[in-house]
Amino acid sequence: MKPPIRIGIIGLGGYAGAHHNSVVQLEAQGHARLVCTCDPQAEAFAAQQESYEFARRGVKVFADYRPMLEAHGHELDMLVVPTPISLHAEMHRAGVERGIAVYLEKPPTLDYRELERMIATDRTAKKTTLVGFNFIIEKARLALKQRIISGEFGPLRETRLNAQWPRPYSYFARNNWAGRLLAPDGGVVLDSCFGNAMAHFVHNLLFWAGDSTLMSWGQPETARAELYRAHAIEGADTFFVESRTTSGVVMRFALTHACEGASLQTETVVCEKASIHYIVGQHAEIRWNDGRVEPVALEPFNALHENHLDYYRYLRGETSRPATTLVDSRPFVVLNNLAYVSSGEITPFPAGLVKSITHPHDAQNYLAVDGLPDALADFLAHGRWPGSALGWRTGSPAALVTPADLPRFIPTLEALAAR
Ligand SMILES: NC(=O)c1ccc[n+]([C@@H]2O[C@H](COP(=O)([O-])OP(=O)(O)OC[C@H]3O[C@@H](n4cnc5c(N)ncnc54)[C@H](O)[C@@H]3O)[C@@H](O)[C@H]2O)c1
């Protein structure tokens, strides 16, 4: 049996709790050992500490990650960083500087300038950081990507994401950074369905649109976006984004939290001879232009467990790279920033279209926009912009932008936050 990977986890609540649960299992299976953890409110998680059996397992608990690394950094193979996004860069750097491999939750950052600094830091790392986008390692996904790049379906033309996750009012009050563009100190927050909650699917779509190698992501050459909001938040809850990659693939992304009913996350890959419909967590199929439909089984997938094991294999030298690196995350971070520059405004939906619904299943209040599901579908299939087609946009049309426009990101954000 190989020696267990020795782990420190920063944080106890939120998604850090999911990492703790996974590591409890991985430890019981002999793959890992939790050495230490920390949280500024560690005492508020007394019940969790008991249920994770920290005392029996000999896990040391700290209030701050710095003294934790001071005391135990030399014993750690891996540091898990599942904390608020604005803390990722400093925690990542602290791990790298101590020679510890970092499992960094997605998104690595939502500021393209900070990402470049993190990439530079990671060049000095003993082991390349993993960015925890959950779905890249799915076996069916990798096998289909391999078939795409082999040319079996003909040239890749378009990729499309239809992601609709209803979120109640309470979701936007879950912490002090939900739905915000900027922090009180002026730092970039940019919390949104595109940048945070459904970031996995955006990153997946970029993965489908990569070049001729398996582990590649589409590089945005141009972008255009319309951003909307139904909720009383600073940021956007609905994104229409179109981007052309440097290899000519047209990617369309349609995401919203301003909806009701069941959640939906469908990725579509359009090639010359067939299109792939991949409903994450459910099933996939290949629809050939000649009428054949080829079902693709998606195996049960425990994302966190599998991503931990995949990174352990890399740390042990059994594989050559983590599933997603900071460099691989660049298209995601850049495209998200360009969406704001292109849109230049976050347009409130016409008031008459927004309705408030109380769902019987959870007694929570939701906002949904009449006609939005059709507008999202129309945009994905035909590239029809709701701003002009439905008269939803009040300002000038969204601009076609390129990565050369990134320096306009911070001024745009400041102007949006000031409105
Ligand atoms: N991979 C996924 O499926 C998935 C799902 C949800 C969230 N996430 C990601 O996980 C990260 C955390 O999100 P969240 O919603 O759980 O955030 P959160 O605000 O709930 O924070 C998570 C934890 O970090 C702790 N924390 C805050 N400041 C800290 C500090 N200075 N030192 C140590 N711990 C600190 C908090 O107390 C909490 O326990 C984000 O990057 C988010 O996008 C990933």
Side-chain angles (χ1 to χ4, degrees), residues 294-309:
E294 188 183 326
V296 176
L298 301 188
E299 290 176 5
F301 181 64
N302 180 341
L304 209 40
H305 189 88
E306 295 299 333
N307 275 283
H308 266 261
L309 285 176

Side-chain angles (χ1 to χ4, degrees), residues 8-35:
I9 300 179
I10 305 186
L12 277 163
Y15 203 61
H19 278 277
H20 279 285
N21 281 319
S22 274
V23 170
V24 165
Q25 271 190 18
L26 289 157
E27 192 168 304
Q29 294 164 358
H31 297 296
R33 182 166 73 78
L34 184 65
V35 174

Side-chain angles (χ1 to χ4, degrees), residues 8-86:
I9 300 179
I10 305 186
L12 277 163
Y15 203 61
H19 278 277
H20 279 285
N21 281 319
S22 274
V23 170
V24 165
Q25 271 190 18
L26 289 157
E27 192 168 304
Q29 294 164 358
H31 297 296
R33 182 166 73 78
L34 184 65
V35 174
C36 52
T37 186
C38 63
D39 197 291
Q41 298 185 330
E43 65 290 346
F45 296 100
Q48 286 85 343
Q49 295 196 39
E50 210 164 297
S51 77
Y52 300 143
E53 299 186 283
F54 281 169
R56 179 190 62 75
R57 294 161 67 202
V59 178
K60 303 290 183 298
V61 182
F62 291 77
D64 190 293
Y65 75 95
R66 286 159 289 208
M68 177 182 94
L69 292 180
E70 202 58 51
H72 295 286
H74 65 284
E75 297 172 59
L76 298 181
D77 301 308
M78 171 177 151
L79 180 67
V80 185
V81 181
T83 52
I85 301 160
S86 58

Side-chain angles (χ1 to χ4, degrees), residues 156-159 209-210 218-219 221 243-251:
L156 173 59
R157 303 285 188 223
E158 287 186 15
T159 60
Q219 305 292 321
E221 189 171 64
S243 173
R244 181 179 288 272
T245 70
T246 49
S247 48
V249 178
V250 174
M251 304 179 289

Side-chain angles (χ1 to χ4, degrees), residues 10-15 39-40 82-85 87-88 91 105-107 132 134 177 196 200:
I10 305 186
L12 277 163
Y15 203 61
D39 197 291
T83 52
I85 301 160
L87 298 174
H88 285 184
M91 292 171 171
E105 260 310 325
K106 63 79 201 152
N134 286 349
W177 51 276
N196 186 14
H200 291 298

